[in-house]
Amino acid sequence: MSLRLGDIAPDFEANTTQGQIKFHEWLGDSWGLLFSHPADFTPVCTTELGKTALLKGEFEKRNVKVLAVSVDDIDSHNRWIPDINEVNNTEVNFPIIADEGRKVAELYDMIHPNASEKATVRSVFIVGPDKKIKLTLTYPASTGRNFNEILRVVDSLQLTANYSVATPADWKDGDDVIVVPAVSTEDAQKRFTKGLNIVKPYLRYTPQPNK
């Protein structure tokens, strides 16, 4: 069965480049980004893991722990990491799961046989502190992910978890947000004291409440 938004992210134990972990325990009260890459020593993956390492400060600012996975073994990961560091002028600063037995890949449905019978596709799972899946993305092996978009989604998820708002198309941190339909206009005017821009009865903008 494929995993859906709101499902509890399956727990697992795994060997990583930073030692053995239990996923839920390792997450603690943090948000989590679990993402798969098809294989070590491949060009797109080298750029992706490098970009993730370069964004360490951005993930930490949002209380997000990052965890990568592929079906390669620990020795392969450790031999590949120097290449990632060199190419991207960074230091890989997050664990990479050695999933040669495909335990994690199968738990999270990361192998799509019609794309590849062996390699994982480029899956992304964002997991909340409640251990529930908040977002899933799937990219083909030929397309590298936009990690700034992943940060944007985390910003939206964290904002909307705490306020009765939603984020419009192309929203980025600091832009106006939308009051959810469940809040009446009368209540919205009391609750969102920075102002309300009523475009339609169901479309009401307000400045981002946590700024």
Side-chain angles (χ1 to χ4, degrees), residues 22-198:
K22 295 180 179 179
F23 184 48
H24 285 188
E25 181 181 291
W26 175 81
L27 272 182
D29 295 327
S30 299
W31 290 70
L33 168 62
L34 174 66
F35 70 106
S36 61
H37 60 275
D40 295 354
F41 297 101
T42 53
V44 175
C45 301
T46 300
T47 64
E48 286 192 320
L49 271 72
K51 181 65 174 180
T52 306
L54 287 166
L55 290 170
K56 177 186 179 185
E58 294 299 320
F59 285 113
E60 287 181 343
K61 186 166 67 177
R62 294 163 173 82
N63 191 30
V64 177
K65 288 185 174 180
V66 175
L67 184 60
V69 57
S70 81
V71 297
D72 300 286
D73 61 29
I74 283 290
D75 287 344
S76 176
H77 289 340
N78 285 330
R79 285 186 285 110
W80 181 40
I81 284 172
D83 284 3
I84 301 171
N85 294 342
E86 177 190 350
V87 168
N88 298 281
N89 192 28
T90 188
E91 293 287 334
V92 171
N93 40 45
F94 52 87
I96 307 173
I97 295 172
D99 192 37
E100 61 265 48
R102 303 187 188 181
K103 177 182 175 181
V104 177
E106 290 176 2
L107 273 177
Y108 284 80
D109 195 25
M110 292 173 170
I111 294 178
H112 297 191
N114 290 331
S116 170
E117 292 185 2
K118 296 180 180 179
T120 55
V121 292
R122 299 187 193 281
S123 297
V124 177
F125 294 87
I126 294 178
V127 180
D130 58 3
K131 310 300 183 289
K132 291 183 178 180
I133 294 172
K134 306 299 183 182
L135 173 132
T136 65
L137 293 169
T138 303
Y139 290 66
S142 57
T143 303
R145 285 160 283 204
N146 184 331
F147 285 85
N148 286 311
E149 166 63 6
I150 292 171
L151 289 171
R152 187 190 77 89
V153 172
V154 170
D155 286 337
S156 175
L157 288 168
Q158 293 182 343
L159 173 66
T160 58
N162 292 311
Y163 298 91
S164 297
V165 297
T167 54
D170 296 332
W171 174 88
K172 57 186 182 296
D173 190 39
D175 289 351
D176 286 356
V177 296
I178 294 170
V179 179
V180 297
V183 177
S184 70
T185 297
E186 183 180 357
D187 286 345
Q189 287 169 333
K190 296 174 184 175
R191 191 180 302 186
F192 299 102
T193 56
K194 294 179 181 178
L196 209 61
N197 175 19
I198 303 171

